[in-house]
Amino acid sequence: MSFEPVLLARINKPDSPKLEGYRADGGYATFERALKEKKPEEVTAQVKDSGLRGRGGAGFPTGLKWTFLPKDHPGPIYLCVNADESEPCTYNNRILMEKDPHQVLEGIMLACYAIKSRCAYFYIRYEYGTAYRTLQAAVDECYAAGLLGKNIHGSGFDLDIFLHRGAGAYICGEETGLIESLEGKRAWPRIKPPFPAIEGAFRKPTIVNNVETLACVTQVMKRGNDWFKSLGVPPDPKNPRDAGSYGPKLYTIAGHVNTPKCVELPMGITIRDLVDKHGGGVWKGRKAKAVNPGGLSMGFVDVNAKLKDSDLTEYDIPLDFNGPGKVQCLGLGTAAVTVIDDETSMVDVLHNVCQFFSHESCGQCTPCREGTGWMLKIVDRLRRGQGRKEDLDILVEVSDRIGIMPGTTICGLSDGAGWPVKTAIRKFRAEFEAAIKGGGKSKYAKALPLVGAGH
Ligand code: NAI
Ligand code: SF4
């Protein structure tokens, strides 16, 4: 099926971040039409009916989230844009912010109009200096053109957008950690409920949406719900709770591939197609061994493991909101696909992963703080050839126990730290056992730094 990118359609145009160019391509006409012709509730209804699900990782239905705001609240109501993109090998938001910031800003304007917010905070990862400067220039252009500020185009609608640079920690991307950081505090996630829609920034109702989600809002409102639903994967008829995986999606391809890049495709492409057709295949003529389907916290896919009653393998799973769950991974996550080649040590890869999560745990909850540290210590022991037979079962047990599902921790970081551990051990157990037996001698190479355009 031929597919024309929409979210990335403008990124290679000269001066793509400039207002003039965006205007020339019909930019802001959708927002201006909504101001004149639609009530805020109609915008919310359209986004809800489109089936758009959040692109930050959790896939929560966007329009539904907006309806959780208290009715007839006197305000203020805030929109927080989550641009603290820190999941390893994820850089789809960065491309949008650097190359087409006005598409994102138009989505913010539409969302704020829909939720009756007059103030949006754009919380952007500290390391994204170019994106920050590009966005600030775009925001300034909008103020100068009367698209932001008081009484926009005589509609009576006021809107301010403030950029706020992050604090250089992964946990600032957790929505309540982000809010705490925005308020000037340490980014310690809050216990939910209350969810931010009820009590968020400065204890006021707040919607937190990801950058790509807001770019999708622009496109949904511009092109309509029939267009959006013509792309992607409809709900699974066998699962009445499935909301489907509609629309275009930005996938980032990283790790041991020939051409790491960000591509836009309809939801539901398989890992195999993504890597072989779009990522130029596995590098150095090697084969893939494992893949993270959507960021480290989703766990590992074993590309050689056969799917039940099929000739296909886990490499053939579709990357929609349901696909990775079918092969015991956590979910689609950020759709950042990271490939590990067949000459690389999974023990070493897992060591990298455990280092990351142990470092990034905010330390509030004992199971997460201690559990991520224990897992790192054990995997380090395995890597140094001092592993013990019982270590693998201990690792799986710790990774299962620190998850958010048993209700032991405040946020999802601990769950995300556990999935790569349990999937690596369960799916590549023989390699871990060989590492214990070999006492440090391994036929595999050390894990090289992961190659990706973002990290
Ligand atoms: P979540 O499932 O707890 O929440 C998703 C969203 O729905 C939140 O905005 C939440 O406030 C809202 N929500 C859920 N239930 C609600 C209710 N009953 N009432 C009102 N609002 C409700 O997931 P969470 O913890 O926000 O996100 C986890 C995901 O984040 C992971 O799947 C991971 O992939 C992703 N992630 C993304 C990163 C990135 O760089 N983009 C970094 C780290 C994690
Ligand atoms: Fe902090 Fe981990 Fe608890 Fe999340 S689960 S609040 S990162 S200690």
Side-chain angles (χ1 to χ4, degrees), residues 251 266-271 274 293-294 317-321 323-324 332 337:
Y251 294 93
M267 279 266 192
I269 179 146
T270 65
I271 300 178
L274 199 61
I317 56 149
L319 291 169
D320 55 44
F321 287 115
L332 178 66
V337 169

Side-chain angles (χ1 to χ4, degrees), residues 241-446:
R241 297 180 66 187
D242 180 27
S245 304
Y246 290 119
K249 179 78 195 84
L250 300 186
Y251 294 93
T252 52
I253 314 170
H256 301 156
V257 293
N258 285 315
T259 45
K261 60 157 90 124
C262 175
V263 284
E264 178 183 351
L265 291 160
M267 279 266 192
I269 179 146
T270 65
I271 300 178
R272 187 185 296 279
D273 277 358
L274 199 61
V275 175
D276 292 352
K277 290 193 189 149
H278 300 276
V282 181
W283 71 355
K284 301 181 182 177
R286 297 180 189 170
K287 292 195 169 102
K289 170 160 68 176
V291 172
N292 285 122
L296 291 185
S297 39
M298 297 299 114
F300 290 100
V301 161
D302 172 359
V303 303
N304 296 309
K306 281 255 184 303
L307 296 177
K308 205 169 158 222
D309 303 327
S310 165
D311 289 336
L312 303 177
T313 74
E314 293 190 0
Y315 208 29
D316 297 290
I317 56 149
L319 291 169
D320 55 44
F321 287 115
N322 291 333
K326 291 179 186 155
V327 293
Q328 287 89 47
C329 285
L330 182 54
L332 178 66
T334 62
V337 169
T338 308
V339 178
I340 315 293
D341 74 33
D342 60 351
E343 293 191 18
T344 298
S345 159
M346 281 307 287
V347 182
D348 219 44
V349 169
L350 194 59
H351 183 257
N352 280 355
V353 173
C354 289
Q355 262 185 327
F356 176 80
F357 285 111
S358 171
H359 179 73
E360 298 295 346
S361 166
C362 85
Q364 266 193 109
C365 321
T366 307
C368 175
R369 183 187 63 241
E370 300 301 322
T372 52
W374 290 348
M375 294 193 302
L376 174 60
K377 275 187 199 152
I378 298 173
V379 178
D380 188 44
R381 193 154 73 211
L382 296 174
R383 194 177 65 125
R384 286 185 290 108
Q386 293 166 2
R388 301 172 311 196
K389 211 166 64 251
E390 60 272 26
D391 280 346
L392 303 185
D393 292 335
I394 296 174
L395 274 174
V396 172
E397 194 183 342
V398 174
S399 66
D400 273 338
R401 289 202 180 192
I402 65 171
I404 198 172
M405 293 314 275
T408 53
T409 58
I410 294 171
C411 89
L413 186 143
S414 55
D415 210 25
W419 279 86
V421 174
K422 65 183 104 171
T423 48
I425 306 287
R426 285 182 180 140
K427 297 184 183 191
F428 301 94
R429 192 169 179 111
E431 193 179 322
F432 284 86
E433 284 172 348
I436 295 171
K437 234 171 149 185
K441 289 197 196 95
S442 166
K443 63 175 180 171
Y444 296 108
K446 278 191 170 251

Side-chain angles (χ1 to χ4, degrees), residues 42-58:
E42 291 174 297
V43 177
T44 300
Q46 181 170 340
V47 171
K48 190 173 167 207
D49 293 346
S50 72
L52 171 62
R53 294 174 63 178
R55 282 8 189 185

Side-chain angles (χ1 to χ4, degrees), residues 56-58 60 65 68 84-87 170 175 195-196 298 333-334:
F60 198 85
K65 196 197 281 189
F68 290 155
D84 194 73
E85 179 175 64
S86 312
E87 185 69 27
Y170 178 71
E175 60 176 1
F195 285 92
M298 297 299 114
T334 62

